[in-house]
Structures are given as C-alpha cells and as structure tokens.
C-alpha cells in the first residue's frame, strides 16, 4: 500500500522547523567566539554580506529542489537529472547526515550533561577557570558520562523523528523554538543589566577593522554556510514537505533572519557576562564549557542563568539533530521503501554507535589517530570541510547550470508570483549570485578548508 507523503500542516511549522535546523551549536557556541576573534562588529558586517550573497541564494535553491520533487536528496536529484552522478551527490548528503550527527550528538550530549551539572550547582565548587577546565576534562574522561548523555540525546532526537513530520518535527519545533527565543531574551536582559556589560556590547558592536584579515573573510563565508545547514540536503528534505502554494524566497528570508538574529543575541548574552566578570573573550572553542561556568558563579543570578543557558544550548542542538536524522530517514523511506519507525530505530542506533568512538576520542581512544586527527576531529573534518562545501557547490551548480534555468524560474515563481511581479530585479539577481558568485566563493572556501589556502 502506497502511503501518502506527509506535509507541514502550516507555513509557520516549516519556518520554525527549518529555523530550528539552522539555529544550533553553530549559532550559540561558534558564532560568538569567531566574531570575538575576528574584530566583532567588522566581522559581523562581513558575515552578513556572505549570508546575503551565498547563504540566501543557495538556501533558496536547496529548498526549491526539495519542494519541486517532494523527495529526499537522492530521489530529488535522480528525478530532476536522471543521472547517477547527481544521485550520488544526493547520497553524499545522506552520508554527511550520518557523519555530522555522530559528532554533533557528542557535543549535544555534553550540553545535556552540563544542564544536569548546572542544576546540581557543580560549578560553584570552583573559583578559577582552570578548575572548571579540569572539571570538563574529568567529565569527558569519564566513558559513561560521555556515552550516557550521547545515548540520552540520540534517544530524544529519535522519539521526535519517530513521531513523524507533523506530529514530531513540526510539533516539537513549535514548542521548542518559542522556548528557545524566550530563554534567549531572558538571558540577554540579565546579561545587559550586569555592571560592566557595556564593554561586552562595544566589543561586539564597535567595528575593529584591525582584526579583520583575509582569513576572517574565509571564516565568515564558511560559517554562513554551516549555520544555515546548507550543503547536505537538510533544507532540501524539509522543503520536500512544503506545499507548492508556499513562497520559497520569503520563507528562506525568514529562516535567514531568525538564524542571524539568534546568533547575534547569543553573542550579546555571552559577551556581556564575559566582560562583566573580566574573563577572556577570545577563549575560543572552550568558551562555553570552560569559561562560562566560572562566569555563572560570579554573577548575580548565575545559578538560574547557567541552568537556562545549558537548556537553551540543548534545545538548539536538538532541533538541528532532528533535521540531520530526518535526511537519513527520508532517504530510506522514499528510496528503499522502509517504514519510518523502523528507519528511525535502525539508523538512529547506527548513528549512536558511530558517535561512541567520537565520545571515546576524549578518553580511551584519544591516542587513536588517523592523519593526525582523533576520530571525532576526523569525522568533523570530513563532514564540515569536505562533504558540506562540495555538496553546496554542487547544489549551486545544479540549480544554476544543470536543471535548466527556464524550468527553475517557473517552479520558483509558484507561490511567489506577486513577489517576482513587483520586484522584477529579484530573479536576475538571484540567478547571477547562484550561477557565478556562489560556486566560485564556495570553491574558495573549500580550498581553504582543506588547507590549500590561507
Ligand atoms: N546549522 C546547525 C548549526 O548552526 C548545524 C547543522 C544542522 C547543520 N544541520 C545541518 C549543518 C546540516 C550542516 C548541514 O549548528
């Protein structure tokens, strides 16, 4: 019996789910510290340009492929091109889904574990960043802690995806995303109200062009891409549950807007508290797990702040993880005739098993190295630096050059007739960005991220 493919029940359901995918550890953990390291406001300005000239055009293309074909990435490329080369590009996305979720789940598990630590008040045992750093090392050195929270996180992700597109992903996003916004706003107000917070605000909003280098531009480009969940068919898969009546460019713009505003507010939350307590803003990747907990012990209301903060981080990671698992599930459901429940249980478990060596990279397997990288870093490198940029490059090339631009124009206008009538410049502009700017710029990012450029 052929089952009817599910669709979002509402426009806002799609927007929140897709924004949920985009808003993740990238926004709350990575964006603030790379903005901090690369000149604050000056970097944000460059980042916004990157979002506009490659992020948005590629996002529109990715959603459009999904909506047009109503299929997973492999099926979508097969249907539009009939070629096995392009199906393989879709397949690369499915593999990237496995890979990204296996290490993303580990960090998401830490966030969950840190939520528990916050509730227990563990950080109040320390007065020095080094103490919290050791606390972090001893937690991650504990095999059961890392794997336990990875399992719990994966299990939560699987429950939501198991329940389906409308009853699981859409309903989950409609609850989780507003909670995320509210927590973030509360944290922002607490942060701004602290004495000395204005130093944090000027750090974030006063451009310091002196710290911007060619490398900063590459970082901004690469991040613009990762933060919008582009390049592996996540947005394509979510787009495949969209109706032809929905407006793709407007939806894409809303997703980009939400993703960007959340990243900036997260920056405000973090740097106001970091500066108010005189911590080092350039602490880099350790900022969240090693510096912030000390900050919490030194600020008024820190106990509550820390609980809310790690809840926020967990929710953000969860709505992203859902989209990663859904890509894998959609492929097995559409192309291999699996039922959703079985696909979720089997592939959720396989991804968990792949996550285990990632978690073990912080303890018993820390000496197991390939190309000088431990398992965690190796999977991260392959996915983020190779599969995603290549995937994004091919998506831009496909929409711009292979699909047939006449057909692209017709399908993009569906649901957006008035928009393109009113703003005649939009279509030609999008075309130029997608055909020329995006592929060239993504290629440059690719070369740089595999180490061939600056
Ligand atoms: N965008 C997410 C973040 O900012 C990460 C993510 C989720 C992702 N799904 C993805 C990245 C798919 C690339 C592809 O944390």
């Amino acid at each position: 019996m052929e089952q009817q493919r599910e669709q979002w029940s509402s426009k806002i359901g799609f927007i929140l789910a897709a924004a949920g995918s985009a808003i993740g550890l990238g926004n709350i953990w990575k964006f603030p510290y790379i903005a901090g390291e690369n000149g604050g406001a000056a970097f944000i300005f460059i980042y916004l340009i990157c979002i506009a000239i490659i992020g948005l055009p590629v996002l529109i293309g990715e959603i459009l492929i999904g909506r047009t074909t109503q299929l997973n990435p492999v099926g979508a490329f097969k249907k539009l091109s009939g070629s096995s080369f392009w199906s393989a590009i879709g397949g690369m996305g499915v593999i990237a889904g496995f890979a990204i979720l296996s290490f993303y789940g580990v960090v998401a598990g830490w966030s969950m574990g840190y939520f528990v630590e916050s509730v227990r008040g563990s950080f109040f045992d320390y007065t020095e960043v080094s103490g919290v750093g050791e606390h972090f090392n001893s937690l991650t050195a504990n095999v059961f802690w890392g794997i336990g929270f990875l399992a719990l996180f994966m299990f939560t992700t699987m429950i939501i995806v198991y329940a389906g597109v409308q009853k699981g992903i859409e309903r989950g996003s409609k609850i989780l995303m507003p909670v995320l916004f509210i927590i973030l706003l509360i944290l922002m107000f607490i942060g701004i109200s602290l004495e000395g917070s204005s130093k944090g605000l000027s750090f974030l909003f006063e451009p310091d062009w002196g710290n911007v280098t060619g490398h900063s531009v590459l970082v901004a480009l690469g991040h613009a891409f990762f933060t919008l969940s582009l390049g592996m068919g996540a947005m394509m898969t979510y787009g495949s549950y969209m109706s032809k009546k929905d407006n793709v460019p407007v939806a894409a713009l809303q997703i980009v807007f939400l993703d960007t505003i959340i990243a900036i507010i997260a920056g405000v939350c973090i740097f106001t508290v970091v500066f108010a307590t005189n911590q080092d803003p350039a602490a880099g990747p350790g900022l969240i797990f090693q510096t912030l907990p000390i900050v919490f012990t030194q600020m008024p209301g820190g106990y509550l702040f820390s609980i809310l903060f790690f809840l926020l981080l967990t929710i953000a990671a969860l709505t992203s993880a859902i989209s990663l698992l859904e890509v894998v599930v959609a492929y097995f459901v559409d192309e291999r005739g699996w039922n959703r429940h079985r696909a979720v249980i089997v592939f959720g478990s396989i991804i968990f098993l792949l996550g285990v060596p990632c978690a073990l990279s912080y303890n018993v397997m820390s000496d197991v190295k390939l190309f000088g990288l431990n398992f965690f870093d190796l999977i991260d490198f392959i996915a983020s630096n190779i599969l995603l940029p290549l995937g994004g490059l091919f998506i831009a090339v496909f929409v711009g050059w292979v699909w047939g631009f006449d057909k692209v124009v017709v399908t993009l206008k569906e649901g957006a007739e008035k928009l393109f009538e009113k703003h005649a410049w939009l279509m030609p502009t999008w075309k130029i960005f997608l055909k020329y700017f995006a592929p060239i710029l993504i290629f440059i990012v690719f070369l740089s991220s595999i180490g061939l450029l600056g």
Side-chain angles (χ1 to χ4, degrees):
M1 189 191 66
E2 181 88 359
Q3 262 193 335
Q4 178 88 40
R5 203 162 190 276
E6 276 196 275
Q7 282 206 333
W8 306 109
S9 71
S10 59
K11 240 185 272 178
I12 185 76
F14 165 71
I15 304 287
L16 290 180
S21 170
I23 298 165
L25 298 170
N27 299 59
I28 296 169
W29 163 70
K30 193 163 181 197
F31 176 78
Y33 91 75
I34 56 176
E37 283 175 349
N38 291 281
F43 176 82
I44 296 178
F45 181 74
I46 296 171
Y47 167 78
L48 291 178
I49 294 177
C50 296
I51 288 274
I53 62 177
I54 67 165
L56 185 60
V58 177
L59 179 60
I60 293 174
E62 224 192 284
I63 297 176
L64 191 65
I65 296 177
R67 190 191 62 164
T68 306
T69 57
Q70 306 272 303
L71 284 170
N72 65 93
V74 176
F77 277 116
K78 204 191 301 173
K79 185 166 171 183
L80 291 175
S81 71
S83 104
S84 50
F85 171 77
W86 288 101
S87 311
I89 298 296
M92 204 167 79
V94 177
I95 293 171
F98 274 94
I100 298 174
L101 189 49
S102 65
F103 69 82
Y104 203 82
V106 172
V107 182
W110 295 347
S111 315
M112 259 185 167
Y114 261 57
F115 171 71
V116 174
E117 294 298 301
S118 310
V119 174
R120 293 174 51 203
S122 313
F123 307 130
F124 288 86
D125 299 343
Y126 304 98
T127 50
E128 299 274 339
V129 173
S130 60
V132 181
E134 273 159 35
H135 189 72
F136 175 79
N137 292 339
S138 74
L139 287 174
T140 49
N142 180 338
V143 173
F144 298 104
W145 188 81
I147 294 181
F149 280 107
L150 169 66
L152 192 61
F153 179 81
M154 281 306 298
F155 186 67
T156 316
T157 307
M158 285 162 68
I159 291 176
I160 297 177
V161 179
Y162 185 94
V165 174
Q166 274 193 18
K167 293 212 179 81
I169 303 176
E170 183 168 351
R171 196 168 58 175
S173 308
K174 276 183 172 167
I175 299 168
L176 294 171
M177 295 311 285
V179 174
L180 181 139
F181 294 136
I182 292 169
I183 296 180
L184 202 62
L185 290 179
I186 297 175
L187 296 183
M188 182 177 79
F189 284 115
I190 300 180
I192 292 178
S193 67
L194 294 175
E195 223 182 289
S197 65
S198 58
K199 276 181 283 172
L201 294 177
S202 33
F203 177 70
L204 204 55
F205 294 116
E206 277 170 19
D208 172 5
W209 292 99
N211 274 340
V212 174
T213 58
H215 181 72
S216 317
V217 178
L218 289 174
V219 171
L221 263 170
H223 188 66
F225 204 74
F226 183 82
T227 190
L228 292 175
S229 300
L230 295 175
M232 50 84 58
M235 290 300 182
M236 201 181 288
T237 306
Y238 274 11
S240 76
Y241 304 121
M242 237 179 149
S243 130
K244 300 260 152 98
K245 288 188 239 88
D246 292 336
N247 189 325
V248 174
V250 168
L253 191 64
Q254 288 166 332
I255 296 163
V256 165
F257 173 78
L258 288 172
D259 184 73
T260 307
I261 195 90
I262 296 286
I264 292 176
I265 299 179
V268 171
C269 298
I270 292 172
F271 288 117
T272 47
V273 298
V274 165
F275 275 87
T277 51
N278 294 316
Q279 296 296 332
D280 174 18
L287 193 62
I288 278 198
F289 294 108
Q290 295 172 339
T291 307
L292 274 188
I294 264 301
V295 168
F296 297 146
T297 65
Q298 295 172 3
M299 60 185 270
Y303 177 70
L304 186 65
F305 196 106
S306 68
I307 295 176
L308 288 177
F309 183 82
F310 287 109
L311 181 62
L312 169 80
L313 196 63
T314 306
I315 292 177
L318 182 61
T319 51
S320 298
I322 293 168
S323 75
L324 288 160
L325 182 57
E326 180 61 22
V327 173
V328 176
V329 169
Y331 165 73
F332 282 94
V333 170
D334 291 345
E335 301 301 305
R336 306 270 163 159
W338 285 49
N339 95 12
R340 164 176 292 272
H341 293 168
R342 195 168 137 227
V344 169
I345 294 171
V346 171
F347 295 104
S349 308
I350 293 179
I351 292 169
F352 163 72
L353 291 178
L354 262 176
V356 169
C358 294
L360 295 182
S361 300
Y362 286 84
N363 38 65
V364 291
M365 282 175 59
S366 60
D367 291 332
V368 182
K369 296 210 165 142
L370 208 61
F371 308 113
L373 298 173
N374 65 29
F375 197 81
F376 183 108
D377 295 333
L378 185 69
I379 294 216
D380 180 7
F381 181 82
I382 294 174
S384 312
N385 297 28
I386 299 178
L387 296 178
L388 289 183
L390 278 186
L393 178 66
F394 280 116
I395 288 167
V397 167
F398 185 81
V399 178
W401 299 92
V402 179
W403 189 349
F405 215 79
D406 299 342
K407 282 184 254 171
V408 172
V409 168
V410 173
T411 171
L412 183 60
K413 280 188 178 164
E414 278 171 322
E417 294 83 359
K418 288 211 190 84
L419 179 77
F420 286 107
E421 255 166 49
K422 252 173 111 184
H423 305 282
W425 57 273
L426 277 177
M427 191 65 88
T429 311
W430 180 62
K431 183 174 168 178
I432 292 174
F433 282 1
L434 197 75
K435 278 185 107 144
Y436 304 101
F437 287 15
I440 295 169
L441 291 174
I442 299 171
F443 190 64
I444 294 174
V445 172
F446 173 66
L447 292 183
S448 85
S449 68
I450 57 172
L452 292 179
L453 288 178

